């Protein structure tokens, strides 16, 4: 202990429950969904000169979270989590992925479903990424809001990581963007 403090003055450790650790695993860069390969259009925005620095990158990711894939994916996570007919939710999610760039959701969803099925010893059903997440979270009895928050934090981290390579940004700028957008991810998920 520091001078003048006793062992009993130390902060109490906060328990980390299985839900947080499961979600941290699902949305970590090591989980095989290929998130590093999908920039949600950021590569085009950089090439077009629309995103050239940290401030523009943060604005761009903020827009994706609030008005693009982040918002839509949260709706599909919640819908599939609550659905009695997940296949119908998945069909709707596929309809919303109208451009070739958004069809990456099929590949990511199939990879996510396969990885979760392998961990659980079950059979995977290919779904779009957010639908696969919602379905898996319900099956694992994970809290919906926490799942959505962690999903969006993972998306933010993935996009910031892509921006670090594409813009390019330094590690400090990338981490600052993730920190600054964490409340946005929480608000959108809620």
């Amino acid at each position: 202990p520091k001078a003048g403090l006793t062992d009993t003055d130390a902060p109490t450790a906060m328990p980390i429950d299985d839900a947080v650790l499961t979600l941290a695993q699902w949305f970590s860069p090591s989980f095989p969904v290929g998130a590093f390969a999908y920039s949600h259009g950021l590569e085009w925005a950089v090439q077009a000169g629309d995103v050239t620095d940290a401030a523009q990158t943060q604005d761009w990711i903020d827009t994706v979270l609030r008005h693009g894939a982040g918002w839509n994916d949260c709706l599909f996570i919640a819908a599939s989590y609550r659905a009695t007919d997940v296949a119908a939710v998945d069909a709707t999610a596929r309809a919303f992925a109208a451009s070739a760039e958004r069809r990456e959701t099929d590949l990511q969803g199939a990879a996510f479903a396969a990885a979760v099925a392998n961990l659980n010893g079950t059979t995977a059903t290919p779904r779009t990424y957010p639908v696969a997440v919602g379905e898996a979270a319900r099956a694992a009895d994970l809290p919906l809001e926490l799942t959505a928050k962690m999903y969006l934090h993972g998306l933010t981290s993935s996009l910031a990581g892509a921006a670090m390579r594409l813009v390019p940004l330094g590690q400090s700028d990338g981490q600052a963007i993730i920190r600054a957008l964490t409340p946005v991810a929480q608000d959108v998920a809620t």
Side-chain angles (χ1 to χ4, degrees):
K2 291 183 180 180
L5 296 178
T6 67
D7 286 335
T8 58
D9 292 329
T12 304
M14 188 168 115
I16 303 295
D17 64 11
D18 289 342
V20 172
L21 296 176
T22 297
L23 292 166
Q25 179 180 6
W26 285 3
F27 304 126
S28 77
S30 65
F31 209 72
V33 296
F36 65 89
Y38 303 110
S39 69
H40 291 266
L42 180 59
E43 187 172 354
W44 172 86
V46 170
Q47 289 174 354
D50 294 336
V51 176
T52 61
D53 61 22
Q56 290 173 335
T57 299
Q58 184 171 323
D59 287 345
W60 190 87
I61 297 172
D62 183 274
T63 299
V64 169
L65 292 173
R66 292 180 194 272
H67 307 292
W71 173 260
N72 291 339
D73 285 359
C74 274
L75 294 176
F76 289 120
I77 288 168
S80 62
Y81 188 95
R82 296 178 177 133
T84 55
D85 185 357
V86 178
V89 175
D90 193 57
T92 303
R94 288 176 195 284
F96 272 79
S99 69
E101 291 79 13
R102 272 303 284 150
R103 289 193 201 111
E104 65 199 24
T105 190
D106 289 337
L107 299 173
Q108 287 183 292
F112 179 85
V116 170
N118 285 335
L119 288 172
N120 297 334
T122 59
T123 303
T125 302
R127 306 272 192 214
T128 55
Y129 189 31
V131 173
V133 168
E135 186 176 38
R138 181 182 66 205
D141 200 28
L142 300 174
L144 174 58
E145 188 173 331
L146 180 61
T147 299
K149 287 177 180 181
M150 295 288 286
Y151 178 91
L152 289 179
H153 188 269
L155 175 61
T156 302
S157 296
S158 178
L159 293 174
M164 285 184 246
R165 293 184 305 277
L166 294 168
V167 172
L169 299 177
Q171 292 286 330
S172 295
D173 284 339
Q175 293 302 314
I177 289 168
I178 294 167
R179 167 73 59 94
L181 292 176
T182 294
V184 174
Q186 291 174 328
D187 289 345
V188 170
T190 299

